[in-house]
Amino acid sequence: MSLNTPIRTDRRPTLAVCAYDPDDADWDEGGQSEASGFGAGGVRSLLVEPDAPDRLVETLRERLLAGDCRGLLLVGRGAQTDRFRIQMRASNRSLEGAGKLPGTGPSIARTTAPVADMVRELKDAGLVAEAFSDSEHDVGSYLLYALLTGMPDDMPTPAIGLLRAPVNASRRDMARGVRIAANAMAQGFSPIRRSGLEAG
């Protein structure tokens, strides 16, 4: 190793957040989450831009396979007008809804995010929130299923969750809900071991 090669000493894990609808891509008004991170600053944030669903699956999977990325929060809109909802599972369906994704995949994939903690934190902050089991057949459910079932069997499954904001929520309200849910996810992340630090 060159003596001039910088060594990364930041042992904070990363939580990726992706608002997959281009209309919500600017949810982080003022860059507050990107600048301060989550979990009282103990977890770095990585904000992933929306893209075509198939490409976005690959981008997000690559991030989750990186040694420092411990989780992903997908962010979208839901059918409800008055509450934030944490989706607890996704069905094996294509984007068109007529067929399955992998022919041999399970019919249902369950989220690995700390759903109860996320709902509790949202409620404690005065927001109306709930967990739900029904799978809305849209891009959010497609991404959730593809990522939950697409991780290698030989590695621990990272925390992957889907937060649905009220369909008519303002950007400010959406940002507040996202930060609260992300902070709840980040509480369970431990620092990266020194042996896992990379050069660069």
Side-chain angles (χ1 to χ4, degrees):
M1 181 182 297
S2 168
L3 294 178
N4 295 322
T5 301
I7 303 297
R8 202 190 85 197
T9 58
D10 190 343
R11 298 178 62 208
R12 293 180 300 164
T14 297
L15 173 62
V17 178
C18 177
Y20 49 81
D21 189 323
D23 290 340
D24 295 321
D26 60 349
W27 67 269
D28 190 28
E29 189 175 15
Q32 180 178 334
S33 299
E34 192 167 23
S36 60
F38 302 116
V43 174
R44 295 184 299 166
S45 65
L46 171 68
L47 306 188
V48 181
E49 295 292 326
D51 200 346
D54 288 341
R55 291 198 297 267
L56 191 53
V57 165
E58 294 307 313
T59 297
L60 294 172
R61 183 181 290 121
E62 289 177 4
R63 291 308 315 174
L64 289 170
L65 290 173
D68 65 333
C69 194
R70 299 287 174 78
L72 164 68
L73 178 62
L74 297 166
V75 178
R77 301 277 179 169
Q80 298 294 320
T81 61
D82 63 343
R83 67 194 60 201
F84 286 86
R85 308 180 87 198
I86 309 293
Q87 185 167 321
M88 295 194 293
R89 64 182 189 177
S91 301
N92 184 353
R93 284 200 181 182
S94 66
L95 273 174
E96 296 76 20
K100 294 184 177 182
L101 290 175
T104 58
S107 59
I108 296 292
R110 298 185 183 280
T111 182
T112 51
V115 173
D117 293 340
M118 295 163 74
V119 171
R120 183 179 63 249
E121 292 296 327
L122 287 164
K123 288 183 175 180
D124 287 350
L127 299 174
V128 180
E130 67 179 6
F132 74 108
S133 296
D134 296 334
S135 179
E136 296 186 24
H137 303 304
D138 61 1
V139 173
S141 292
Y142 168 83
L143 294 172
L144 183 63
Y145 180 91
L147 291 164
L148 287 169
T149 59
M151 302 305 295
D153 293 333
D154 59 351
M155 68 170 285
T157 303
I160 302 174
L162 170 55
L163 172 70
R164 293 188 180 274
V167 66
N168 57 355
S170 67
R171 183 171 60 174
R172 178 173 295 181
D173 288 344
M174 186 176 196
R176 183 176 176 226
V178 172
R179 291 183 188 119
I180 292 168
N183 281 324
M185 288 183 69
Q187 295 302 323
F189 294 177
S190 59
I192 300 169
R193 292 188 299 178
R194 293 187 184 279
S195 59
L197 296 178
E198 301 172 355

